[in-house]
């Protein structure tokens, strides 16, 4: 059934369709309406879940670590400072191999207080072991919740799906809400091999010395990589039932492109417009949309970007003293390639500053007219 | 040993849910306390352990001394992790299983108090036990907000011993309107056993504060740990009591609440604070002035307790 809904409501519908049993969450702008919507759903009985209204995000994540350990499908959502407060428990959830799904609304990190779109929050969690999925539309947000549980439960790792503050969280779009029967067909009930089980007592997460820890982390790494393989199957199954498809990274007019822009989140949508305009001018440009960022799809990136002359990486995030996170990782992935493309790292749209198709056109033209980047990174639109 | 009351034989199981091989120090109160707690609770119990001595005591992978499910969780999350397990077990229809958070004083009085306060305010159906050895013993004896006045620790060294009184965790927890709060210690095992037996049948957040002797941290001989813990109660530094909160609807739908205080152990002999403290190496630096202050505080609290426990339920303003 098609409805015009905001990104946060789309997440809540996804959670309902997955028959989540425990929710543990704390309100933060701009995630708040997820918490409100899910509270309504639980109160009305529309969703048969226990909602633990915790006193902080740290506890929100710890609550779902508890519930997921006891073998039920669990969900939480947050943003910005809240995600940073969860940091310790994110590592814990991944290390404990718990298939929790977390929705993060990408918002800038303070100070000063800024509630607008910025991806520094989720990118600063890139070493926690969570799978990271970046979404571009409200439909993709809803669908990604359902896909995330399938992926998480197969590889026993938590998934964080993220989308931009306000551009998606508070913007209404047409979303095709799947039927519960479709969701049930795609996502069977969660029944883990190991859980807190009173009839089969085990100890979880205790002391582990140097003799086992190393291998245990290696297995976690291998399983994270396996998630990339398995994701292909998830995509295929999803398409069969729901008719929609979301590739690990989407290629848009990249076939013969000499310049490829790499973007994640809503900047992707404006980049598409810029690419179309420049194509009309006969310029060979394309777009690679980053969707799965952890685990890193290195081979795929190399395949898509390897033949381009220039790669422009748009980062709506900043690691002070380095630059953009995406650019740094794309460069690392391309390093072993012979005749590798020239990378143009661009920082744009920090703290929710608008990035328009004109901006992206300007950025691409900058790359076209310079044999190598003039600034690394280039802060686009920086005021004097 | 003073006899408090008899435990009916049929209540005490012979089965041990704490197996040999655990890694506690000699004379450790925390391991003895776990054994007694599980005797009372029985096997349908899940234990949630944050960073504390018990992280080590339970054993190193792949071993576990406890014969019930155990989940280890980050330091400050004992209460809410237990709430999460509770929610999941409820969803699975396993409502009779007790979820027990088992944390030290650091994990309770300090770093975990936020999450504990949250769970207690929500009245989540968990049992929270603080085994209080009065410092960060697992990291090697650093002061916590449960460390008493006059105690030496590695962060309150000679010349700078602790001057601030210990937090009143019992009153903090009671201020959350929880249905049950009790103190207990391994010096009175029958009392402790009965309390753990009882809480299985109380819904909501239950809090039990255990004084848990730590020979290396208290600078006492391991063979004396139970004896010195008993001295804490005899000196009224650690009274053994329980508080049951009742809620009932009055006319016109008004909800009333009251608290019933019961002192479970009236000491068989009276000791001064000084006698209790001087029996331990950690208090060797305490001044006469500090001892005087502590004695006054202890006497005042005991008097209050006696007044509250006169058999009459207390109304909210008392």
């Amino acid at each position: 059934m098609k409805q015009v809904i905001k990104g946060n409501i789309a997440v809540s519908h996804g959670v309902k369709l997955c028959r989540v049993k425990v929710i543990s969450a704390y309100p933060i702008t701009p995630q708040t309406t997820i918490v409100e919507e899910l509270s309504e759903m639980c109160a009305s009985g529309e969703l048969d879940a226990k909602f633990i209204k915790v006193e902080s995000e740290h506890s929100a994540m710890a609550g779902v670590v508890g519930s997921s350990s006891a073998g039920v499908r669990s969900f939480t959502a947050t943003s910005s400072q809240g995600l940073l407060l969860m940091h310790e428990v994110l590592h814990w959830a991944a290390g404990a191999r718990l298939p929790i799904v977390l929705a993060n609304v990408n918002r800038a990190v303070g100070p000063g207080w800024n509630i607008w779109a910025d991806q520094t929050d989720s990118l600063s969690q890139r070493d926690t072991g969570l799978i990271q999925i970046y979404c571009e539309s409200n439909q993709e947000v809803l669908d990604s919740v359902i896909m995330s549980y399938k992926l998480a439960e197969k590889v026993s790792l938590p998934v964080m799906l993220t989308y931009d503050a306000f551009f998606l969280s508070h913007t209404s779009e047409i979303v095709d809400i799947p039927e519960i029967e479709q969701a049930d067909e795609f996502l069977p009930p969660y029944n883990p091999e190991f859980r807190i089980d009173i009839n089969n007592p085990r100890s979880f997460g205790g002391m582990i010395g140097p003799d086992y820890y190393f291998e245990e982390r290696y297995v976690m790494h291998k399983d994270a990589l396996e998630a990339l393989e398995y994701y292909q199957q998830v995509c295929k199954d999803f398409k069969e039932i729901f008719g929609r498809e979301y590739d690990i990274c989407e290629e848009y007019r990249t076939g013969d492109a000499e310049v490829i822009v790499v973007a994640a989140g809503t900047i992707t949508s404006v980049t598409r417009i810029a690419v179309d305009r420049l194509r009309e001018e006969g310029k060979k440009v394309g777009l690679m949309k980053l969707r799965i960022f952890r685990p890193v799809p290195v081979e795929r990136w190399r395949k898509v970007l390897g033949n381009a002359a220039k790669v422009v990486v748009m980062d709506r995030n900043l690691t002070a003293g380095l630059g953009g996170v995406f650019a740094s990782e794309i460069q690392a992935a391309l390093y072993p390639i012979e005749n590798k493309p020239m990378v143009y790292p661009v920082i744009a749209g920090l703290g929710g500053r608008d990035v328009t198709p004109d901006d992206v056109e300007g950025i691409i033209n900058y790359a076209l007219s310079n044999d190598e980047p003039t600034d690394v990174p280039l802060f686009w639109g920086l005021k004097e | 040993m003073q006899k408090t009351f008899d435990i009916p034989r049929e209540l005490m199981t012979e089965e041990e849910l704490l197996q040999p091989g655990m890694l506690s120090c000699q004379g450790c109160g925390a391991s003895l306390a776990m054994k007694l707690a599980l005797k009372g609770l029985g096997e349908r119990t899940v234990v949630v352990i944050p960073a504390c001595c018990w992280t080590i005591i339970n054993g190193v992978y792949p071993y576990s001394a406890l014969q019930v499910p155990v989940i280890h969780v980050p330091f400050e999350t004992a209460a809410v992790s237990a709430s999460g397990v509770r929610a999941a077990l409820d969803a699975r229809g396993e409502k009779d299983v007790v979820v027990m958070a088992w944390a030290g004083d650091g994990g309770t009085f300090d770093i975990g108090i936020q999450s504990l306060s949250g769970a207690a305010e929500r009245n989540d159906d968990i049992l929270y036990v603080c085994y209080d050895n009065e410092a960060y013993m697992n990291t090697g004896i650093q002061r916590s907000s449960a460390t008493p006045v006059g105690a030496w620790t590695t962060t309150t060294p000679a010349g700078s011993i602790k001057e601030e009184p210990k937090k009143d965790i019992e009153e903090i927890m009671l201020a959350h309107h929880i249905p049950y709060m009790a103190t207990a210690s391994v010096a009175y095992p029958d009392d402790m056993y009965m309390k753990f037996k009882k809480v299985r049948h109380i819904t909501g957040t239950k809090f039990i504060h255990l004084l848990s002797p730590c020979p290396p941290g208290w600078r006492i001989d391991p063979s004396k740990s139970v004896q010195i813990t008993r001295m804490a109660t005899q000196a009224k530094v650690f009274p053994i009591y329980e508080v049951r909160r009742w809620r009932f609807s009055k006319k016109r739908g008004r909800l009333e609440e009251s608290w019933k205080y019961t002192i479970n152990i009236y000491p068989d002999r009276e000791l001064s604070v000084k006698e209790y403290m001087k029996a331990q190496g950690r208090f060797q630096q305490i001044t006469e002035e500090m001892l005087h202050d502590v004695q006054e505080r202890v006497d005042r609290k005991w008097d209050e307790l006696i007044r509250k426990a006169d058999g009459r339920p207390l109304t909210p303003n008392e």
Side-chain angles (χ1 to χ4, degrees), chain B residues 22-84:
Chain B
M22 56 178 180
L23 304 176
S24 52
C25 306
Q26 284 185 354
C28 172
S31 45
L32 189 50
M34 178 67 92
K35 174 186 158 98
L36 285 164
L38 288 177
K39 282 244 181 226
L41 291 168
E43 60 183 7
R44 290 187 73 77
T45 303
V46 173
V47 181
V48 179
I49 301 179
C52 61
C53 290
W54 253 95
T55 307
I56 316 294
I57 294 172
N58 195 45
V60 177
Y61 178 86
Y63 301 104
S64 176
L66 291 174
Q67 301 301 296
V68 294
V70 182
I71 175 173
H72 296 265
V73 298
F75 206 169
E76 63 281 57
T77 70
V80 72
S81 299
S83 300

Side-chain angles (χ1 to χ4, degrees), chain A residues 243-260:
Chain A
R244 291 180 292 275
E245 196 173 11
Y246 302 95
D247 204 349
I248 286 173
C249 51
E250 185 191 325
E251 297 171 51
Y252 184 70
R253 305 185 83 163
T254 51
D256 61 342
E258 286 163 10
V259 178
I260 298 178

Side-chain angles (χ1 to χ4, degrees), chain B residues 114-281:
Chain B
Q114 176 178 321
S115 132
L116 172 58
S117 176
E121 184 273 331
R122 292 187 302 272
N123 198 24
D124 288 343
D125 187 18
I126 60 168
L127 166 61
Y128 190 104
V129 180
C130 171
Y131 67 97
D132 176 7
N133 48 32
E134 303 194 311
Y136 290 89
M137 297 311 188
N138 197 31
T139 44
I141 324 169
Q142 293 80 34
R143 67 93 86 183
S144 75
S145 60
T147 303
V149 172
W152 162 92
T153 68
T154 58
T155 52
T156 49
S160 173
I161 52 171
K162 191 161 181 277
E163 294 176 4
E164 308 79 18
K166 173 175 183 154
K167 272 187 198 171
D168 192 344
I169 197 75
E170 289 95 358
E171 288 300 321
I172 291 172
M173 293 315 297
L174 286 171
H176 286 77
H177 309 268
I178 55 173
Y180 185 79
M181 197 292 299
T183 64
S185 86
V186 291
Y188 301 95
D190 39 6
D191 169 77
M192 185 177 157
Y193 168 83
M194 290 306 284
K195 281 171 177 165
F196 279 85
K197 193 97 190 158
K198 178 189 282 185
V199 291
R200 177 168 263 294
H201 307 289
I202 300 173
T203 306
T205 304
K206 288 80 64 180
F207 182 83
I208 298 182
H209 182 199
L210 304 176
L211 183 65
S212 187
C214 171
W218 290 12
R219 293 290 187 254
I220 58 173
D221 189 288
S223 67
K224 297 273 195 302
S225 67
V226 171
Q227 188 185 330
I228 285 172
T229 308
R230 191 175 305 120
M231 287 169 76
T233 299
Q234 289 166 335
K236 306 184 181 79
V237 170
F238 191 79
I240 304 278
Y241 67 108
E242 66 187 336
V243 184
R244 187 84 165 89
R245 171 178 173 263
W246 304 96
R247 297 172 81 214
F248 49 92
S249 294
K250 294 268 264 201
K251 280 178 191 163
R252 296 193 300 271
R254 271 179 63 205
L255 208 58
E256 299 272 320
E257 62 182 343
S258 68
W259 288 264
K260 184 165 178 0
Y261 282 66
T262 308
I263 297 173
N264 308 106
I265 306 289
Y266 284 89
D268 54 340
R269 64 165 180 157
E270 299 227 344
L271 285 182
S272 67
V273 165
K274 187 174 182 174
E275 284 170 291
Y276 163 66
M277 288 189 159
K278 287 297 181 187
Q280 303 169 58

Side-chain angles (χ1 to χ4, degrees), chain A residues 56 58 71 88 202 204 207, chain B residues 61 70-72 76 92 114:
Chain A
S56 73
H58 195 279
E88 179 198 20
R202 289 168 186 269
F204 296 86
M207 281 283 289
Chain B
Y61 178 86
V70 182
I71 175 173
H72 296 265
E76 63 281 57
R92 302 188 75 95
Q114 176 178 321

